[in-house]
Structures are given as structure tokens and as C-alpha cells.
């Protein structure tokens, strides 16, 4: 088990260090060098171990100086984006999983698609994630803060929750994103984030290391080189990711196995980081059943054990505790715990992430300075 190194080299440490590099009075736990302009290139799914395994396909990235960070738990996009957007650990910002119970409602909330069941009032991003973002802090300090990404994400609930304060620059193609970054980096000071998600999509559908995944890795490498080549003097480019990935060699349908279904009110999280919400009075029974059924394949702990072990950081706000499952199940083999009836497409994936394994937790932090 790789418990994230919060405060000593995790994604939650990066945003404050970027602002410190720009001269703001922020902690700089990663000791980043001063720069007049910083660009963060966020590649969805670019695990450090995965990149090392295929360094020949990404020679530019493989040749950069850098280090390895931990993603945080769970190693999933919504959690990592919120850590990068706030500089807080999951236990502080509250985005502790992909599908989370909304306390007191008996319903799950999809934090990625920002979706609640039909008939429920829309979730207010400022209430679900109320912390001030690093983009707001940058703007308050007079720094131009820009986010470059696909137009479909502009104005979504997740974007509001993790990127509020940034000026959104919609860009679809690689060429457009590189151009928007170079334009934004002309400001001084400048704080720019650019996102690329197709590597993760290829990994989910075909598996990391597949032909399509390798093609996407080559695109990422080329994009990183082009971003670096267009940086004005006094700039820093940092390349990182939100999580790594494993290819599933075994799947268990949690909806169809009686031992995993009995006493369960809601099955949240995702296939590699399950939040299991028990029916009233059934938490201990569910914990024992999940432990017995997944013995030798997954870490299965109670909410209290997960919190006390520091999975979500050194502290979990009281207001967020009920978002965490009564039981948290985290495979350490290449197992995916699926729910085909509720989440048919996810059950068909090849690649998954979320767990506390090195392949999922390790993300690169690579850097270029001009």
C-alpha cells in the first residue's frame, strides 16, 4: 500500500509551490524555482510508471529533469483536479471520490459529470467545494490566470468547483491549445494550465500500453515539446498527471455477488476505489462480508480506518465524513469491482485507476525552464 505523501510530495503540494514560484506568499513545499510565468501541462492518465515503461515513445518527456509525486486518494480525476485547484488534500476539499453519497438524501452524486438523479435540485459547486481556489488567489494578486481546455467543459459544475477564478480559454485541437498557451504566456506574470484528456480515454477503452494508448502518448510528447519551444524567457513549464492506471485482468460484479450486495444501500466510488454505503445498522456486516469476499485481492477498511490511516490526508473535515463510504474497498491486484447494471460502460473498460498501488499513485513532475 502506498499511502500518499501529503505535505512531502503529492499533487496537493504543487499549486501552492507554483504560486510561490511566481512570488506570492505561499508555502513552497516542492521548492520550485522562481519564474515570471508558469505553465502547468496536465495530462490525464500519464502515470510515472507508465511513462517510464514506454520512454522510447516519449523521448522529449523522458529526457526532462523531474521527480515523482503521489496523486492522493483516490487516484482519480475529480479528486486530483480539486487538489490541483485548491492546494488542499482530499479530506480538506471534500472531493473524496467519483460517485459520492449526498448525506441525508439516499442518492449518489457523480462529481465528474456533476449529475444527480432526476428530480433532485442541481448541486451548487460553491457549496460542494467551498474552498478558495489557487486561481482566485492568483487573480487577487494581480496574476493573469488562464485555463486552456476543451470547450465542452467550460461552465460545468466541476469546472466551477476546481477552476473558478481562472479565465477559460476554449481550445479543441492540439494546435489550438498550444497556440492559446503561447498567447497566455506573453503576460507577465502568467499562471496558465492546459489539459489533455485523450491518453486517459485510450487507456480506459483499450488499456495502457495498447496501440491507441501509445499513439496518444506520442501526441502528448509532441505537444509538450511544442509548448516548451514556444516559452518566452523567464518561463517554467511543468508536466504532471492526475493519476496512473492498471489494466484489469479480473472483474467482480458487485451487483451480482450476494455477499457484496447484502446490506448495501449505495455503491459509490469507482471500480478501483469503492465507497460502500451500508443500510442502517449493517455497516459491520458489510465490512466483514467485503473483507472475506475480497481477501487477497483488496484492502477493505471501515470509514474510520481509512480516515485514521491518512488515506485522504492528515485531516478530514467533519462536514465531509459522511461522503466517505461506511466501507472503502481498494484492490491491490489487477481487479476491477464493477457494477454493470448501474455503470455499464465502466464495466467494459480495460484500464482503471483509483487505488493505492504505485502504478496508480505515481505521477511525474517534469520541468523546463527558459
Amino acid at each position: 500500500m502506498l499511502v500518499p505523501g501529503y505535505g512531502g510530495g503529492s499533487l496537493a503540494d504543487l499549486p501552492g509551490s507554483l504560486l510561490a514560484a511566481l512570488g506570492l506568499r505561499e508555502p513552497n513545499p516542492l521548492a520550485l524555482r522562481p519564474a515570471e510565468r508558469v505553465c502547468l501541462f496536465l495530462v490525464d492518465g500519464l502515470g510515472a510508471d507508465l511513462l517510464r515503461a514506454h520512454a522510447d515513445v516519449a523521448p522529449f518527456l523522458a529526457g526532462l529533469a523531474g521527480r515523482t509525486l503521489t496523486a492522493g486518494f483516490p487516484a482519480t480525476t475529480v479528486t486530483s483536479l480539486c487538489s490541483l485547484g485548491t492546494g488542499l488534500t482530499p479530506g480538506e476539499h471534500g472531493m473524496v471520490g467519483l460517485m459520492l453519497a449526498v448525506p441525508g438524501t439516499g442518492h449518489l452524486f457523480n462529481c465528474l459529470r456533476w449529475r444527480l438523479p432526476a428530480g433532485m435540485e442541481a448541486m451548487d459547486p460553491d457549496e460542494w467545494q467551498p474552498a478558495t481556489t489557487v486561481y482566485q488567489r492568483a487573480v487577487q494578486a494581480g496574476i493573469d490566470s488562464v485555463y486552456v481546455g476543451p470547450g465542452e467543459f467550460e461552465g460545468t459544475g466541476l469546472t466551477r468547483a476546481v477552476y473558478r477564478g481562472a479565465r477559460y480559454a476554449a481550445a479543441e485541437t492540439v494546435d489550438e491549445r498550444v497556440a492559446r498557451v503561447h498567447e497566455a504566456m506573453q503576460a507577465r506574470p502568467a499562471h496558465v494550465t492546459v489539459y489533455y484528456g485523450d491518453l486517459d480515454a485510450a487507456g480506459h477503452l483499450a488499456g495502457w500500453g495498447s496501440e491507441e494508448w501509445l499513439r496518444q502518448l506520442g501526441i502528448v510528447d509532441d505537444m509538450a515539446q511544442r509548448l516548451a519551444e514556444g516559452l518566452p524567457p523567464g518561463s517554467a513549464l511543468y508536466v504532471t498527471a492526475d493519476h496512473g492506471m492498471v489494466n484489469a485482468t479480473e472483474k467482480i460484479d458487485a451487483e451480482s455477488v450476494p455477499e457484496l450486495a447484502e446490506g448495501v444501500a449505495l455503491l459509490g466510488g469507482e471500480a478501483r476505489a469503492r465507497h460502500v454505503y451500508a443500510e442502517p445498522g449493517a455497516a459491520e456486516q458489510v465490512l466483514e462480508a467485503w473483507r472475506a469476499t475480497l481477501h487477497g485481492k483488496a484492502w477493505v477498511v471501515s470509514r474510520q480506518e481509512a480516515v485514521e490511516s491518512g488515506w485522504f490526508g492528515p485531516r478530514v473535515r467533519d462536514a465531509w465524513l459522511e461522503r466517505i463510504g461506511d466501507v472503502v474497498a481498494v484492490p491491490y491486484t489487477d481487479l476491477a469491482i464493477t457494477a454493470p447494471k448501474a455503470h455499464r460502460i465502466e464495466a467494459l473498460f480495460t484500464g482503471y485507476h483509483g487505488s493505492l498501488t504505485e502504478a496508480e499513485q505515481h505521477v511525474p513532475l517534469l520541468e523546463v525552464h527558459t
Side-chain angles (χ1 to χ4, degrees):
M1 180 188 302
L2 179 61
V3 177
Y6 301 112
S10 75
L11 285 179
D13 302 315
L14 178 56
S17 285
L18 290 174
L19 294 185
L22 286 167
L24 274 67
R25 294 179 177 269
E26 297 258 355
N28 190 0
L30 300 180
L32 300 187
R33 291 166 47 184
E36 293 180 319
R37 308 168 176 93
V38 297
C39 175
L40 180 66
F41 181 22
L42 174 59
V43 184
D44 202 320
L46 183 66
D49 294 6
L50 281 56
L51 177 59
R52 279 193 292 269
H54 292 287
D56 58 318
V57 181
F60 178 75
L61 291 174
L64 296 180
R67 67 189 99 171
T68 299
L69 304 179
T70 51
F73 180 76
T76 197
T77 299
V78 294
T79 304
S80 293
L81 290 190
C82 205
S83 293
L84 287 169
T86 62
L88 299 175
T89 62
E92 292 283 356
H93 62 61
M95 205 85 82
V96 292
L98 172 61
M99 297 280 293
L100 299 177
V102 181
T105 69
H107 294 292
L108 290 172
F109 174 48
N110 187 316
C111 297
L112 183 64
R113 294 179 174 83
W114 216 258
R115 181 184 302 157
L116 283 164
M120 289 192 67
E121 185 176 346
M123 182 67 71
D124 184 344
D126 293 4
E127 291 185 8
W128 187 258
Q129 195 300 98
T132 302
T133 71
V134 294
Y135 308 98
Q136 291 172 308
R137 304 206 295 267
V139 170
Q140 288 167 3
I143 297 174
D144 191 29
S145 191
V146 181
Y147 176 83
V148 180
E152 66 179 300
F153 300 148
E154 185 172 5
T156 66
L158 179 61
T159 295
R160 173 70 188 174
V162 303
Y163 295 125
R164 59 178 172 262
R167 174 166 59 86
Y168 201 104
E172 307 306 325
T173 67
V174 169
D175 289 348
E176 290 172 346
R177 288 182 216 184
V178 170
R180 295 295 87 73
V181 168
H182 289 161
E183 290 169 5
M185 289 291 280
Q186 296 305 307
R188 188 173 60 185
H191 178 257
V192 182
T193 302
V194 56
Y195 172 82
Y196 188 81
D198 291 354
L199 182 74
D200 179 68
H204 281 306
L205 295 175
W208 81 270
S210 65
E211 182 177 343
E212 176 57 20
W213 187 90
L214 292 172
R215 188 181 76 82
Q216 287 295 329
L217 180 60
I219 292 173
V220 167
D221 192 63
D222 178 68
M223 184 173 172
Q225 184 168 1
R226 292 172 61 189
L227 288 170
E229 289 173 346
L231 294 176
S235 300
L237 170 68
Y238 292 95
V239 183
T240 194
D242 50 352
H243 54 74
M245 185 171 283
V246 300
N247 292 339
T249 57
E250 180 185 5
K251 297 182 181 182
I252 291 179
D253 177 357
E255 295 170 322
S256 300
V257 176
E259 294 83 356
L260 298 181
E262 187 175 356
V264 174
L266 297 170
L267 184 62
E270 57 195 292
R272 296 282 295 174
R274 281 293 176 198
H275 286 278
V276 188
Y277 304 93
E279 295 174 351
E284 190 61 35
Q285 167 199 332
V286 171
L287 176 64
E288 292 176 359
W290 277 66
R291 275 182 174 163
T293 305
L294 300 177
H295 178 71
K297 298 179 179 182
W299 298 294
V300 180
V301 301
S302 67
R303 173 191 296 150
Q304 181 177 351
E305 289 171 322
V307 170
E308 292 179 351
S309 296
W311 287 11
F312 302 100
R315 175 178 175 268
V316 176
R317 288 182 55 184
D318 290 345
W320 309 149
L321 282 172
E322 290 186 18
R323 295 183 182 182
I324 300 170
D326 295 287
V327 174
V328 184
V330 184
Y332 54 79
T333 63
D334 292 337
L335 168 70
I337 306 170
T338 64
K341 294 178 183 176
H343 308 292
R344 182 182 63 83
I345 295 176
E346 182 196 41
L348 299 174
F349 284 170
T350 297
Y352 295 89
H353 52 79
S355 182
L356 288 161
T357 70
E358 292 184 356
E360 291 153 281
Q361 282 291 322
H362 281 168
V363 294
L365 181 62
L366 310 174
E367 54 189 280
V368 178
H369 296 268
T370 60

